[in-house]
Amino acid sequence: MNRRFLAAVLAGGLLWSASVPSRADEGMWLYSDPPVKILKQRYGFEPGAAWMEHLQKSSVRFNSGGSGSFVSSRGLVMTNHHVGAEQIAKLSSPGKDLLEAGYLANSQAQELKCPDLELNVLMTLEDVTARVQGSVKSEMDAAAAEKARRAEMSTIEKESTEKTGLRSDVVTLYQGGRYHLYCYKKYTDVRLVFAPEQDIAFFGGDTDNFEFPRYDLDVTFFRAYENGQPARIEHFLKWSPTGPREGELVFVSGHPGNTQRLNTMADLAFQRDRRLPLVLNLLRRLEVLYATYGERTQENKRQSKDDLFGVQNSRKALLGRLGGLQDPAFMGAKQKLEDELRQAVAGSPEWSAAFAQVEQAIDVYGQILDDLYLYERHYAFNSRLFELAQHLARYRVEVGQPNTDRLREYRDSNLESLQQDLFSPAPIYPEFERVKLADSLAMLLEVRGSDDPLVQRILAGKSPRERAAELVNGTRLQDVAERKRLAESGGTGSKDPMVELALLVDPTARKVRKTYDEKVAEPLRQAYAAIAQARFAKFGTELAPDATFTLRLSFGVVKGYLEDGQAVGAFTDFAGLYRRSAEHHNEYPFRLPKRWVERKSRLDLSTPFNFVSTADIIGGNSGSPTVNREGQVVGLIFDGNIQSLVLDYAYSEVQARATSVDSRAITEALRKVYDAGALADELGS
Amino acid sequence: MNRRFLAAVLAGGLLWSASVPSRADEGMWLYSDPPVKILKQRYGFEPGAAWMEHLQKSSVRFNSGGSGSFVSSRGLVMTNHHVGAEQIAKLSSPGKDLLEAGYLANSQAQELKCPDLELNVLMTLEDVTARVQGSVKSEMDAAAAEKARRAEMSTIEKESTEKTGLRSDVVTLYQGGRYHLYCYKKYTDVRLVFAPEQDIAFFGGDTDNFEFPRYDLDVTFFRAYENGQPARIEHFLKWSPTGPREGELVFVSGHPGNTQRLNTMADLAFQRDRRLPLVLNLLRRLEVLYATYGERTQENKRQSKDDLFGVQNSRKALLGRLGGLQDPAFMGAKQKLEDELRQAVAGSPEWSAAFAQVEQAIDVYGQILDDLYLYERHYAFNSRLFELAQHLARYRVEVGQPNTDRLREYRDSNLESLQQDLFSPAPIYPEFERVKLADSLAMLLEVRGSDDPLVQRILAGKSPRERAAELVNGTRLQDVAERKRLAESGGTGSKDPMVELALLVDPTARKVRKTYDEKVAEPLRQAYAAIAQARFAKFGTELAPDATFTLRLSFGVVKGYLEDGQAVGAFTDFAGLYRRSAEHHNEYPFRLPKRWVERKSRLDLSTPFNFVSTADIIGGNSGSPTVNREGQVVGLIFDGNIQSLVLDYAYSEVQARATSVDSRAITEALRKVYDAGALADELGS
C-alpha cells in the first residue's frame, strides 16, 4: 500500500481539486440538480427527465449502509456481497455457514427471509430550505436554533409520512445551505436469492482490499417482497449484453455516505491529530481481539468473521485517509484554497466568523471526544446486548416526549427502522459478547482509571472479565419477547443487569450527546452553511454537496492509470484470477472455492472480471450499479483503489479509481459456476 | 482465555502469596542460596554442592533473551525453537525458509554458523554487596549515589574481566539489597544443528500460546564451538530414559527475566493504568502492521513472521498480566500485604519513606513515559537500520569517555556483545524497514502533533511514508563495512541520512534517558532496597529475590489442575496432537508438517508430548531444562499457562503451571520423524 499511495500524494497540490468548482469527473450530484451542462460539454450526452427518473427509481438504498438496484420486474435487487454479508451471517447458524458456502435459492420457497433488512427507494424529493431556515429566528442562540430547526424538520417529516405513507427524511445538504425532503418507499420483507462463497466475493481479503488489479465476485441478489409475494417493480435496470468498453462514459447511481470536502483546515487537523488516531487505535484493538477470538475454533470464526472484515475494512480505509492528511503536499494544497477563500470573504464578517466558529466547535469536540466515543457511541460497551439495553433504557422516555424533542433515532419517522433493529431475531453469541464486553470494559478502565466513580459503579467491584460474564450471563435481552416487554413497560425499574447498566450510564451518555449536538454539531452546521454560501458566492453553484448517504449520480470513464510509471489496465479477467490464486499457493485469502477450481475449464477465461473508472464515489456507494448511456447495467461498484481513499477530502482523477465487477463476469459465473441459469435469465428481463 | 483466567482470579486473595515468605513451590532461587531447608522438609531431598555445581555449569544463557543447557560433551546445546527462531530466521533467505522447513545438519560441516548469537555459562559468583554499597556516601544525593555505584560496579567488572578473561557482570539483587559478581564463559561461535518446522514447534500458534493442553515440539539444538571445533564440555546433562512421572519433584534451571513481586501498590497501579496500556497499544499496532505486511506475499511473510510471533506473544503475556492487575481480588490481596508491611515498619522513618519515594519516582516516570518509549526506546523509529544508526551516533562519543561514565551498554564489559550486534551480517529487508519506519513515524506525528518542532525536523517537510522511503533508500547502513567505518570515524559529520536522524534525536533521547536513570530507576532502586530490607526484617530471609535474567533454580511437582471444575491432566500425548489438528481441519496454525502426516503410523502415539509442573518460572526461562533428582533431563520448559501470566507480581500454585516438552517426545520425534538417530544418540552421552 505504501508505495502505491505515495505515488499519488507525491504529485502534490496540482492534482487535488479540493473545493474549487468541479473539474474533471468530480461530483456526487443531486438528482434534483444533475450536471447537465458538464455532461453535454464534455461527453455530448444529455440525460432527459425520464432517463433520470428511471435511474432514480431503480436505485435502492440498503439502510444498513450500502447501495443496490432493482434488476428485474419481480423485485430482484443486486448489491455487493459485503453489503449483504451482515444478513447472510444472520441467516447462518452453527454447521450452516452461508458466508462460507454461498447460497442459491432454486425456487421462490427457498428464498430466505432476512431478519432485519430495510430497503429504501427514493420516490420524490422536494426543496424545503425556506421552511427549515425560516424556523430559526435571528435572536436565537445556537442551542435554540438547533432545537427550532430540529422541530421544524420533525414536523415536515411527520406531515409527509402522514400524507404519503412514505418514509420521509429531511436531508441537510451543503452543510445546512439547503434542506431537501426525501420520501422513500420502504421494503422490509427482503429475502436472500443468491450469494457466492465469501472466498470469491472477497478474494484477496484484506490484502487486496482497496487495491487494483482485483478479482472479486462481490455480488449478492436479494428479492423485495410485498404482501408475501415478490414486489412488482416498474423501474428496474436492464442488463447490458456487451459490458463496458475502455474509454466509455459510465454512471454510478448510489448512496455515498459521507465526504468532508468543504472542511476547514482546523477541522482537518482535528481529524488528523485526534479523531482518526483515536478511531484507528480502537479499530486495531478490535482487529486483534476478533482475530484471536476467531482463531480459537471454527465456530468462533464463523461468528466473528463479518465483524472482523468490517473492522479491517475500516482500518484500511481510515489509514488511507489519515495518510492523506499527514501529507504536507495534500494539506498545503487545501491550505492554499482556504487562504484564497478567506481572502475573498475577508470583507464579509459573517462568513469570516464562520472559520472561527469551526475552530471553537472543534475545540469543544476535542474536550468531549473520549466521552462521546466511550459512552454515547458505546465503545466502552462493545456488545450487541448493551446496544439493545441502551435503546430499551431510552425507548419509553423518548417515545413519551413530543416528537420534535426526541433524540433523532426515536422520532416517528425513524421508529419503524428502530423497532426492526430492536426486535430482530438475529442470533447473539454469548461467548463472543463476553469477550467483546470484557475487552471494552478493560479499555474503559485503562482510559478513565480505576478511581473514576462512574467506572467503579460500572465495574461493581469486579474485574472487567468477571463483570462482563455477570452481565452477559444475567441478561435476558437475547430473548426478543423480553425486549418487547421491556420496550412496552419502559426500561426503568427493570432488574435486567444489562438494562440497569445502560440506565447507570445514560445520564453521562446523554450529557455528552447534548454537548455534541449543541456545541459541536450545530455550530459546525451553521459555520459550514456560511462557508458553503461563501463558496457559492465566490465559485458559483457548479458544485455538488458533500455526501450524506442520500441518492447521488456520479459519472466517469472506464480508464486505467499510471502507477510508479507502470500502466495499470482498466480491466482484469478470469485468467488473472487463477494466476493470482496460484501466486499465493491457493492459500487463504487467495483460496478459490472448490466449485471455481472444478469448473475452471467451463469458463471463458478471457471474460472481463473487474474494471475501474474515474467516477467519484466513496463508502456507501458499495453495491451501486454502474450503467451506460442507455441506462443498462455494465457493472457493480464494490470498491475504490488505494488512491481513492482520500476522496473524502478532495477529488483527483489522476489515479483515484472506482472499482466494479463487470456485468459479463456476473452472468458467466451464474451460468457456468453456479448453475443459476434461471437467475441469469431473470436479470434485466 | 477469559473463562480460564477468570477461574484463577475469582479465588481471590487467599491464593496469592505475593511477597510474604515462600509458601508452596514459590521461588526463583539463587544458586548461592538454594532452598535447601524447604526441599528437605517438603520433599526429603538434599541437593549437594556437587549436584548444584553440575546443574549450574550445565545451564546456558542465550544472551538474546532465553535459556538452554548443555546436553552432550561435544557442546550440544538444547533450547526452545522460539528462543532460536531469531537466528534461524537470520540463517534463512528468500526461497530457503528454515523456520518453515526446519533444518537438520547431517554432518559437522552442515552445522550453520549463527550470525550474532552469544551464549553465557555462569562459572563463578561472588557477593560484592559491601564494596558496591560502600561506594555510596551518606552525603550524596540520588544522582551522585547512582553515579558512584555505577562507577564501582564498572570497576569491579573491569577488574574481574582483566583477571579472569570472563564476561563479568555485577548483578543487582533484592532491588539493591545485594550485589553479586557473576562471571560467565562466553561462546560466540554457535551453530545450528537441528530445528523442527515452525508448524510443529509452535503448533496452535497464538491461539494455543499460554494454554494447556498443549502439543508443541518447541525444541532446537545448537552447538557451541571453540577454535573452530565443537567445544569440549565437562558439565552437561544426561538424558532421562523414563521421563517425568505424575507427582514427581522436578527442577528448572534457567534465567527468568524479570518479576516485580516486591512492587508497591503505587507502582502496580502505574503499570496497570499507564505502562501496560501504552505498551499493549503499541503491540496491537505492530501486530496489525506485521500481519498485513506478511499477508501481501509469501516472501513478506517469511521476512516478518518471527517479528509477528514476538509481538503476539508479548501481547498475550501482557494482557494476562494486565488482567491480573485489573482484578480487584488480586489487587486487594496485594494491598493487604502492603498495609501489613507499612504498619510493621511505621516506626522506622527510612523504611516508611521508601513508599513515598516510590510514589515520587513513579510520578516522574509518568511524566516521561511517552518520550522514553518514543525516543530512547525508539518506538517512533521502528527500524533495524535506525537502531544501528543510534548506536553509531553514540558509539565514538561513549567509548571516548571513561568506562564508568558511559551508558551501560557501551561499558567495556558489554562492548564485545554490542559489537557482535552492530556488525552482524544478518539480512535487513528494505521494504519491511520502510513499512515499519513509516508507520512509527506516523505514530510519532499522531502522539506529538505536527506543530512539535522536533517532529517537524524529523519529518523534514515530508509525509511519514515519503520520509521513511527517503531514509531507508538513502542509508548505507545495511552494509557491515560501512557500519565499521562509521563506528571507527564516529557518527558525527556523517552524511548518512539515518545517522543524521539519530544524531538529531540524540539530545532528546539522552535527556529522557538521563531523567529516567537518575529520577526514576535510581530512586526506585534505593526505595526497593529499603523495602526489601524491611521485608527481610519482618519476614526473615527465606525469600528469593525478583528475577533479573540471571541463573536461578526453581522446583515443583508434575501436576495437573482444576479449571472450571474440570480436571486438566498433567500430560498430553502424540495422539492428542493429531486430534487437535483434525478439530481445526489441519488449517494454520493447526497445520501439521508433511513429515508428521506421513510418518504418523511410525510413531508411538501414546508417547507423552507436553506436561505441566508447579515450578515457579517466568519469561526468560524459555529453553530451561526440566531435570529430576538425578539431574537428568526429563523435559524442556517452553511456556506457562494463562494462569501463570500474573506470576510477575505474585506466585500461586493452585492453577499456575509451567509447561515443558517431555524428553521422551523429543527423542521419539528425532528418531522416527526426522531420521536424526545420530543426534538422539548424542543426547546425554
Side-chain angles (χ1 to χ4, degrees):
Chain A
M1 163 171 158
N2 288 349
R3 252 166 14 113
R4 301 172 79 185
F5 184 79
L6 208 55
V9 296
L10 278 175
L14 284 178
L15 300 185
W16 304 104
S17 74
S19 52
V20 296
S22 170
R23 292 196 288 238
D25 295 337
E26 178 172 7
M28 300 164 181
W29 299 92
L30 296 171
Y31 267 74
S32 54
D33 199 9
V36 179
K37 217 179 351 176
I38 302 172
L39 285 171
K40 191 175 173 191
Q41 284 175 353
R42 195 170 305 148
Y43 299 104
F45 178 69
E46 289 181 78
W51 190 95
M52 290 293 297
E53 185 193 356
H54 180 68
L55 191 52
Q56 171 191 320
K57 293 186 178 169
S58 300
S59 300
V60 173
R61 182 169 76 170
F62 277 67
N63 230 1
S64 50
S67 300
S69 58
F70 283 123
V71 287
S72 93
S73 60
R74 283 174 285 145
L76 197 62
V77 176
M78 176 172 73
T79 187
N80 291 144
H81 184 272
H82 78 264
V83 171
E86 191 187 333
Q87 295 299 322
I88 301 171
K90 287 176 181 174
L91 289 167
S92 300
S93 53
K96 185 186 137 204
D97 185 345
L98 303 188
L99 281 173
E100 189 182 315
Y103 186 76
L104 172 66
N106 278 310
S107 66
Q108 191 177 313
Q110 289 182 359
E111 296 183 355
L112 303 175
K113 186 165 176 173
C114 297
D116 49 13
L117 179 59
E118 179 183 317
L119 304 183
N120 295 157
V121 178
L122 180 61
M123 304 310 284
T124 63
L125 51 95
E126 185 189 342
D127 192 321
V128 293
T129 308
R131 202 173 148 187
V132 174
Q133 286 182 346
S135 68
V136 177
K137 307 300 169 205
S138 58
E139 70 276 11
M140 291 177 177
D141 63 8
E146 202 270 338
K147 197 172 169 189
R149 197 178 295 113
R150 236 175 64 177
E152 191 61 33
M153 288 163 75
S154 289
T155 308
I156 295 171
E157 288 170 353
K158 191 146 187 272
E159 284 172 13
S160 170
T161 304
E162 277 163 12
K163 199 175 91 189
T164 63
L166 299 174
R167 171 180 175 141
S168 302
D169 296 347
V170 174
V171 178
T172 306
L173 300 166
Y174 294 104
Q175 280 86 6
R178 286 194 197 159
Y179 295 87
H180 285 185
L181 172 63
Y182 278 41
C183 298
Y184 298 98
K185 183 163 171 59
K186 254 190 316 194
Y187 295 91
T188 53
D189 181 355
V190 183
R191 307 192 189 177
L192 178 64
V193 176
F194 169 77
E197 307 88 341
Q198 194 159 34
D199 279 350
I200 189 69
F202 192 42
F203 179 81
D206 178 57
T207 307
D208 276 6
N209 198 11
F210 301 116
E211 310 281 345
F212 199 79
R214 193 76 177 278
Y215 311 89
D216 285 9
L217 190 73
D218 194 354
V219 65
T220 288
F221 291 99
F222 291 98
R223 193 184 301 281
Y225 276 67
E226 281 187 303
N227 308 315
Q229 288 301 318
R232 305 294 312 170
I233 301 299
E234 186 191 346
H235 291 285
F236 63 92
L237 302 177
K238 303 246 186 243
W239 206 257
S240 160
T242 59
R245 292 184 327 278
E246 178 115 29
E248 183 177 357
L249 172 67
V250 292
F251 299 87
V252 175
S253 178
H255 302 81
N258 188 25
T259 53
Q260 289 104 44
R261 293 190 187 162
L262 303 182
N263 280 15
T264 68
M265 295 307 291
D267 202 336
L268 292 179
F270 173 73
Q271 302 293 330
R272 178 194 62 200
D273 297 339
R274 295 286 317 276
R275 204 185 69 85
L276 289 181
L278 174 85
V279 175
L280 274 162
N281 280 332
L282 290 168
L283 289 172
R284 290 186 185 103
R285 184 173 185 128
L286 296 181
E287 183 164 352
V288 170
L289 186 75
Y290 296 174
T292 51
Y293 176 79
E295 279 157 14
R296 270 187 254 158
T297 67
Q298 298 285 317
E299 171 56 16
N300 280 12
K301 182 164 286 173
R302 192 190 66 76
Q303 291 171 11
S304 58
K305 69 183 169 188
D306 189 45
D307 285 349
L308 177 61
F309 159 65
V311 165
Q312 289 181 323
N313 187 58
S314 299
R315 182 255 303 151
K316 205 164 179 181
L318 294 189
L319 263 182
R321 277 161 65 169
L322 182 58
L325 295 180
Q326 287 184 335
D327 181 46
F330 178 83
M331 290 297 266
K334 294 285 286 187
Q335 181 72 59
K336 194 158 160 283
L337 289 163
E338 179 163 321
D339 291 345
E340 284 168 18
L341 184 63
R342 278 179 182 249
Q343 209 169 343
V345 302
S348 317
E350 193 201 340
W351 288 341
S352 295
F355 290 94
Q357 190 168 333
V358 170
E359 280 172 36
Q360 281 160 21
I362 290 296
D363 193 45
V364 177
Y365 200 174
Q367 290 163 35
I368 61 166
L369 186 68
D370 283 354
D371 270 0
L372 185 71
Y373 275 85
L374 287 174
Y375 294 117
E376 176 61 11
R377 297 182 182 167
H378 36 79
Y379 276 76
F381 313 98
N382 179 20
S383 148
R384 170 72 179 150
L385 291 165
F386 180 85
E387 208 175 281
L388 294 166
Q390 192 183 50
H391 277 312
L392 291 168
R394 289 179 172 179
Y395 190 87
R396 190 104 316 259
V397 181
E398 288 295 316
V399 172
Q401 297 202 60
N403 190 41
T404 55
D405 287 352
R406 299 179 199 164
L407 294 172
R408 196 150 184 38
E409 59 272 26
Y410 297 94
R411 289 187 216 154
D412 288 338
S413 52
N414 293 316
L415 222 45
E416 194 178 334
S417 308
L418 178 72
Q419 285 165 351
Q420 188 179 32
D421 178 55
L422 193 51
F423 306 135
S424 164
I428 295 173
Y429 305 106
E431 178 67 13
F432 193 30
E433 289 283 302
R434 275 193 291 274
V435 166
K436 290 194 294 183
L437 186 55
D439 186 72
S440 53
L441 288 174
M443 185 190 69
L444 173 66
L445 186 56
E446 291 167 26
V447 174
R448 281 280 168 264
S450 53
D451 293 338
D452 185 289
L454 181 57
V455 171
Q456 289 178 347
R457 293 181 66 197
I458 289 167
L459 290 174
K462 308 202 173 54
S463 73
R465 288 187 183 81
E466 276 182 279
R467 182 68 172 133
E470 177 181 73
L471 287 162
V472 173
N473 299 343
T475 185
R476 291 178 53 206
L477 297 188
Q478 63 276 30
D479 177 2
V480 175
E482 176 67 8
R483 279 180 242 157
K484 287 193 171 146
R485 205 186 62 74
L486 283 170
E488 283 309 310
S489 67
T492 319
S494 162
K495 290 284 168 242
D496 190 285
M498 201 66 89
V499 177
E500 283 181 324
L501 176 64
L503 287 168
L504 170 66
V505 172
D506 208 43
T508 307
R510 278 179 181 274
K511 189 172 162 221
V512 70
R513 166 86 176 255
K514 192 171 147 72
T515 306
Y516 177 76
D517 285 347
E518 293 177 5
K519 301 274 167 60
V520 181
E522 177 57 23
L524 281 181
R525 206 173 288 130
Q526 293 179 359
Y528 281 125
I531 291 170
Q533 285 166 32
R535 287 204 161 107
F536 280 133
K538 182 160 166 58
F539 299 114
T541 55
E542 295 233 335
L543 180 67
D546 270 332
T548 49
F549 196 44
T550 52
L551 191 62
R552 303 296 179 89
L553 182 68
S554 303
F555 63 89
V557 291
V558 177
K559 193 174 161 187
Y561 53 104
L562 276 178
E563 191 173 68
D564 301 338
Q566 302 275 318
V568 178
F571 290 89
T572 64
D573 60 20
F574 282 154
L577 166 72
Y578 288 97
R579 274 198 308 274
R580 182 103 179 110
S581 175
E583 271 169 28
H584 283 271
H585 308 330
N586 303 302
E587 282 176 8
Y588 177 83
F590 297 95
R591 186 174 54 196
L592 286 170
K594 193 155 155 273
R595 204 188 294 266
W596 282 79
V597 174
E598 289 167 359
R599 303 195 167 192
K600 180 178 176 185
S601 62
R602 294 197 197 180
L603 286 168
D604 176 354
L605 295 180
S606 70
T607 306
F609 195 0
N610 292 173
F611 67 89
V612 286
S613 69
T614 59
D616 187 5
I617 64 157
I618 203 83
N621 266 118
S622 285
S624 302
T626 311
V627 303
N628 58 22
R629 291 174 194 228
E630 286 72 44
Q632 298 168 323
V633 175
V634 294
L636 169 63
I637 289 288
F638 73 99
D639 204 8
N641 64 359
I642 285 282
Q643 291 90 343
S644 76
L645 290 172
V646 288
L647 292 191
D648 248 44
Y649 306 118
Y651 177 81
S652 161
E653 68 170 29
V654 174
Q655 294 187 304
R657 290 294 180 274
T659 314
S660 299
V661 187
D662 194 296
S663 59
R664 290 165 289 185
I666 294 172
T667 41
E668 176 81 359
L670 283 176
R671 291 187 195 282
K672 297 194 182 163
V673 181
Y674 296 102
D675 299 328
L679 177 58
D681 289 343
E682 188 184 345
L683 290 175
S685 70
Chain B
M1 162 173 160
N2 287 349
R3 253 165 13 113
R4 301 171 80 184
F5 183 81
L6 208 56
V9 296
L10 279 175
L14 284 178
L15 301 185
W16 302 103
S17 72
S19 52
V20 297
S22 170
R23 291 196 288 240
D25 295 338
E26 178 172 7
M28 300 164 181
W29 299 93
L30 296 171
Y31 267 74
S32 54
D33 199 9
V36 180
K37 217 176 357 176
I38 302 172
L39 285 171
K40 190 174 173 192
Q41 284 174 354
R42 193 170 306 149
Y43 299 105
F45 178 69
E46 291 182 77
W51 191 95
M52 291 292 297
E53 185 194 355
H54 180 68
L55 192 51
Q56 171 191 321
K57 292 185 177 170
S58 300
S59 300
V60 173
R61 181 168 77 170
F62 278 66
N63 230 3
S64 50
S67 300
S69 58
F70 282 123
V71 285
S72 94
S73 60
R74 282 173 287 143
L76 198 62
V77 176
M78 177 173 73
T79 187
N80 291 144
H81 185 271
H82 78 263
V83 170
E86 190 188 334
Q87 294 299 322
I88 301 171
K90 288 177 181 173
L91 289 167
S92 299
S93 53
K96 186 186 138 204
D97 185 345
L98 303 189
L99 282 173
E100 189 182 316
Y103 187 76
L104 172 65
N106 278 309
S107 67
Q108 193 178 311
Q110 288 182 359
E111 296 182 355
L112 302 176
K113 187 165 176 175
C114 297
D116 49 14
L117 179 59
E118 179 183 316
L119 304 183
N120 295 156
V121 179
L122 180 62
M123 304 309 285
T124 64
L125 52 94
E126 186 190 341
D127 192 322
V128 293
T129 308
R131 203 173 146 187
V132 174
Q133 287 182 346
S135 68
V136 177
K137 307 301 169 203
S138 57
E139 71 276 11
M140 290 176 177
D141 64 8
E146 202 269 339
K147 197 172 167 186
R149 196 179 296 112
R150 235 174 66 175
E152 190 62 32
M153 288 163 76
S154 288
T155 308
I156 294 170
E157 288 170 353
K158 193 148 186 270
E159 284 172 12
S160 170
T161 303
E162 278 164 11
K163 200 174 91 190
T164 63
L166 298 174
R167 173 180 174 140
S168 302
D169 296 347
V170 174
V171 177
T172 306
L173 300 166
Y174 293 105
Q175 280 84 4
R178 285 194 200 159
Y179 294 89
H180 286 185
L181 173 64
Y182 279 41
C183 297
Y184 297 98
K185 185 163 169 59
K186 253 190 316 195
Y187 295 92
T188 52
D189 181 356
V190 183
R191 307 192 189 178
L192 177 64
V193 176
F194 169 77
E197 307 87 341
Q198 194 159 34
D199 279 349
I200 189 69
F202 192 44
F203 179 81
D206 178 57
T207 306
D208 276 7
N209 198 12
F210 301 116
E211 310 281 346
F212 200 80
R214 193 77 176 278
Y215 311 90
D216 286 10
L217 190 74
D218 193 355
V219 64
T220 289
F221 291 99
F222 290 98
R223 194 185 300 282
Y225 276 66
E226 281 188 303
N227 307 316
Q229 287 302 318
R232 306 294 314 169
I233 302 298
E234 187 191 344
H235 292 284
F236 64 91
L237 302 177
K238 302 245 185 245
W239 206 258
S240 160
T242 59
R245 292 183 326 278
E246 178 113 29
E248 182 176 358
L249 173 67
V250 291
F251 300 88
V252 175
S253 179
H255 303 81
N258 189 24
T259 54
Q260 290 106 45
R261 292 189 187 163
L262 304 181
N263 281 15
T264 68
M265 295 307 291
D267 202 337
L268 292 178
F270 173 74
Q271 301 294 330
R272 177 194 62 199
D273 297 339
R274 296 285 318 276
R275 204 185 69 84
L276 288 181
L278 174 85
V279 175
L280 273 162
N281 280 332
L282 290 169
L283 288 172
R284 290 186 185 102
R285 184 173 184 127
L286 295 181
E287 183 164 351
V288 171
L289 186 75
Y290 295 174
T292 51
Y293 177 79
E295 278 157 15
R296 269 187 255 159
T297 67
Q298 299 284 318
E299 170 57 15
N300 280 12
K301 183 164 285 173
R302 193 190 66 75
Q303 291 171 13
S304 59
K305 69 181 169 190
D306 189 46
D307 285 348
L308 177 61
F309 159 66
V311 165
Q312 289 181 323
N313 188 58
S314 299
R315 182 254 305 148
K316 204 163 180 181
L318 293 188
L319 262 181
R321 278 162 65 171
L322 182 59
L325 295 180
Q326 287 183 336
D327 181 47
F330 179 84
M331 290 297 266
K334 295 284 285 187
Q335 180 72 59
K336 194 157 160 282
L337 290 163
E338 178 163 321
D339 291 345
E340 284 169 19
L341 184 65
R342 279 179 182 249
Q343 210 170 343
V345 302
S348 317
E350 194 201 341
W351 288 342
S352 296
F355 290 94
Q357 190 169 333
V358 170
E359 281 173 35
Q360 280 160 21
I362 290 296
D363 192 45
V364 177
Y365 201 174
Q367 291 163 34
I368 63 166
L369 186 68
D370 283 353
D371 270 1
L372 185 71
Y373 274 85
L374 287 173
Y375 293 117
E376 176 61 11
R377 296 181 184 169
H378 37 79
Y379 276 75
F381 313 97
N382 179 19
S383 147
R384 170 71 178 150
L385 291 166
F386 180 86
E387 207 176 284
L388 294 167
Q390 193 184 49
H391 277 311
L392 291 169
R394 288 179 172 179
Y395 190 88
R396 189 105 313 262
V397 181
E398 287 295 316
V399 172
Q401 297 203 58
N403 190 40
T404 54
D405 288 353
R406 298 179 200 164
L407 294 172
R408 195 150 183 48
E409 60 272 26
Y410 297 94
R411 289 188 214 151
D412 287 339
S413 52
N414 293 316
L415 222 45
E416 196 178 333
S417 308
L418 177 72
Q419 284 166 349
Q420 189 179 32
D421 177 55
L422 193 51
F423 306 134
S424 165
I428 296 172
Y429 304 107
E431 178 66 14
F432 194 29
E433 290 282 302
R434 274 192 292 273
V435 166
K436 290 194 295 184
L437 186 55
D439 185 71
S440 54
L441 288 174
M443 184 190 70
L444 173 66
L445 186 56
E446 290 167 26
V447 174
R448 281 280 168 264
S450 54
D451 293 337
D452 185 290
L454 181 56
V455 170
Q456 289 180 344
R457 293 181 66 197
I458 289 167
L459 289 174
K462 308 201 173 56
S463 74
R465 289 186 183 81
E466 276 182 280
R467 181 68 172 135
E470 176 181 73
L471 287 162
V472 173
N473 298 344
T475 184
R476 289 177 56 204
L477 297 189
Q478 61 276 32
D479 176 2
V480 175
E482 177 67 9
R483 281 181 241 156
K484 287 194 170 145
R485 205 187 62 72
L486 283 170
E488 282 310 310
S489 67
T492 320
S494 161
K495 289 284 168 240
D496 191 284
M498 200 67 89
V499 177
E500 284 180 324
L501 176 65
L503 287 168
L504 170 66
V505 172
D506 208 42
T508 307
R510 279 180 181 273
K511 190 173 161 218
V512 71
R513 166 85 175 255
K514 192 171 148 72
T515 306
Y516 177 76
D517 285 347
E518 292 177 5
K519 301 271 166 63
V520 181
E522 177 57 23
L524 282 180
R525 206 173 288 131
Q526 293 178 0
Y528 280 126
I531 290 170
Q533 286 166 33
R535 287 205 160 106
F536 280 133
K538 181 159 168 61
F539 299 114
T541 55
E542 294 233 337
L543 181 66
D546 269 333
T548 50
F549 197 43
T550 53
L551 191 63
R552 302 296 178 89
L553 183 67
S554 303
F555 62 90
V557 291
V558 176
K559 194 174 164 186
Y561 53 103
L562 277 177
E563 191 172 68
D564 300 337
Q566 303 275 316
V568 179
F571 289 89
T572 65
D573 60 21
F574 281 154
L577 166 72
Y578 288 99
R579 274 197 307 276
R580 182 105 180 107
S581 176
E583 272 168 27
H584 284 270
H585 307 332
N586 303 302
E587 282 176 8
Y588 177 85
F590 297 95
R591 186 174 55 197
L592 286 170
K594 197 156 153 271
R595 204 189 294 265
W596 282 79
V597 175
E598 289 167 359
R599 302 196 167 191
K600 181 178 176 184
S601 62
R602 292 196 199 180
L603 285 168
D604 176 354
L605 294 180
S606 70
T607 307
F609 195 0
N610 292 171
F611 68 89
V612 286
S613 69
T614 61
D616 188 6
I617 63 156
I618 202 83
N621 266 119
S622 285
S624 301
T626 312
V627 303
N628 59 20
R629 292 174 195 231
E630 286 73 44
Q632 296 168 324
V633 175
V634 295
L636 169 63
I637 290 287
F638 73 99
D639 205 7
N641 64 359
I642 285 281
Q643 292 90 343
S644 76
L645 290 173
V646 287
L647 292 192
D648 248 42
Y649 306 118
Y651 176 82
S652 160
E653 68 171 28
V654 174
Q655 293 187 305
R657 291 292 181 274
T659 314
S660 298
V661 186
D662 194 295
S663 59
R664 290 166 287 186
I666 295 172
T667 41
E668 177 80 358
L670 284 177
R671 290 187 197 284
K672 297 194 183 161
V673 180
Y674 295 102
D675 300 328
L679 177 57
D681 290 343
E682 187 184 343
L683 289 174
S685 69

